[in-house]
Structures are given as C-alpha cells and as structure tokens.
Amino acid sequence: FPSHDTVRQAFAPLTVLANAYRSSHTAGRKLLALQIVAHVALLVLLVNGTWLQWLGCLVAYTLYMGIGMSITYHRLLSHRAFECPLWFERFGTLCGVIGALGSPITFVSQHREHHRYLDKPRDAYSLVNNPWWFVQWFTMLKQVSLKRAPELLRDRFCLFTHKHFFKIHVAYALVPFLIDSGSIVTGK
C-alpha cells in the first residue's frame, strides 16, 4: 500500500482546488469591499487631488486595466491568444492583482464559464439575464468552479497570488500611505 505522504501528494492539486473553491465566495465579498474603498478614495481625490495625483491615477489605470485586465487576464490568461515572455506574463498578472480584479485563477475561471454559458441563465455576465449594476458590481460574489483554469492551478505564481490576494493589497496600499500619508488625505 502507498504511504500516507504518497497519497497526500497525489491528491494535493485536488485539495488546493477544494480549498480555493470554498474560499471564493468570501473572497468575492472582500473584493467588492476593496472596490468600494477604491471608489471612495477617488471621491476624496476628486475633492483634494492635485494634477500630479491625477496623472498617477491615469498611469495606474493604464497598468491595472490595460495591461492587467485587458491584455493579461483576458487575452493572455483566459484565451491564450498570444505568447509572451514569462516576465511580462508575471508583470501583467501582478498588475491585474493590484488592480482589484480578483486573483488570476478566479478571473479566468469566471471568464471561461461566461463563454461556456454565453447569454444563458448560468452566465453571470449576461446583460440579457442580469441588470447592468449586477454585472458590474455583484458578479464577483458568485461562487465559481476554479477547475476551468487547470493550468493556472498548477502555476505556483498564480497560486501564490490567489492565496495571498488580500495580503498583497494591504502591502500595496500601505507603501504610499507610509511614504506620505498626509498628501493622500489632504492633497497637500
């Protein structure tokens, strides 16, 4: 008979998958809260922001949504529409993580499920079946089967970003705050 360690190693990917699935609903609520905080921060920036802070937001938006979401999460990881160097894939994935798009594993699984059930009742992104505000704000609360991204479940970097998604955000948010917390709040 195989040893306990041999059996545990053989089923390790399934354990990761099961744990990630159970945590996806809680992660969705945290992600929604994170995006609400980001929008409130934009309101503070609207009132107190300098042109340099607005320029920083434009650069950040380009990195997070352009490189992180559109190029990396969507075209590269979800559809494998092109090949690129590993450093760019990692950089783009990190841009997506920091852009509060969810982990790459969750995003890719949801997006592939969207294509599988396009405009059918199981399609959480369907504007045919859901109001726009639900698609914009609440699809992240939907539990998703992470098995739709098996190659990402085997990728150690993607697993790390999935497991530590919110810790990465806390660390990322603390850096500018610790550098100059006064200007973030007052704009001076």
Side-chain angles (χ1 to χ4, degrees), residues 60-113:
Y61 182 82
T62 301
L63 287 173
Y64 305 152
M65 299 310 289
I67 293 175
M69 196 275 288
S70 295
I71 294 173
T72 306
Y73 272 28
H74 183 236
R75 300 303 302 153
L76 178 63
L77 298 178
S78 293
H79 297 291
R80 292 292 174 190
F82 64 94
E83 293 182 16
C84 67
L86 184 61
W87 69 265
F88 183 81
E89 182 176 330
R90 298 296 192 234
F91 173 73
T93 299
L94 199 55
C95 286
V97 168
I98 293 171
L101 301 170
S103 82
I105 296 171
T106 303
F107 182 95
V108 169
S109 295
Q110 284 180 332
H111 191 71
R112 288 178 180 169
E113 191 169 281

Side-chain angles (χ1 to χ4, degrees), residues 42 45 49-65 98 172 176:
L42 279 175
L45 185 64
T50 65
W51 70 269
L52 193 57
Q53 290 168 327
W54 278 102
L55 182 62
C57 284
L58 180 63
V59 169
Y61 182 82
T62 301
L63 287 173
Y64 305 152
M65 299 310 289
I98 293 171
Y172 178 74

Side-chain angles (χ1 to χ4, degrees), residues 20 23 27 31 72-73 77 89-98 101-108 152-153 155-169:
S23 70
L31 183 58
T72 306
Y73 272 28
L77 298 178
E89 182 176 330
R90 298 296 192 234
F91 173 73
T93 299
L94 199 55
C95 286
V97 168
I98 293 171
L101 301 170
S103 82
I105 296 171
T106 303
F107 182 95
V108 169
L152 298 183
L153 287 168
D155 184 313
R156 294 168 88 188
F157 182 77
C158 287
L159 278 174
F160 177 84
T161 61
H162 184 81
K163 183 177 179 183
H164 301 287
F165 181 79
F166 294 101
K167 293 175 192 169
I168 293 168
H169 271 278

Side-chain angles (χ1 to χ4, degrees), residues 6-7 11 20 33 35-36 60 63 68 74-75 81 111-112 115-116 121 124 126 128 149 163 166 170 175 185:
T6 305
V7 171
F11 287 96
Q35 289 192 353
I36 290 170
L63 287 173
H74 183 236
R75 300 303 302 153
H111 191 71
R112 288 178 180 169
H115 279 286
R116 181 174 180 164
S126 171
V128 172
K163 183 177 179 183
F166 294 101
V170 168
V175 169
V185 176

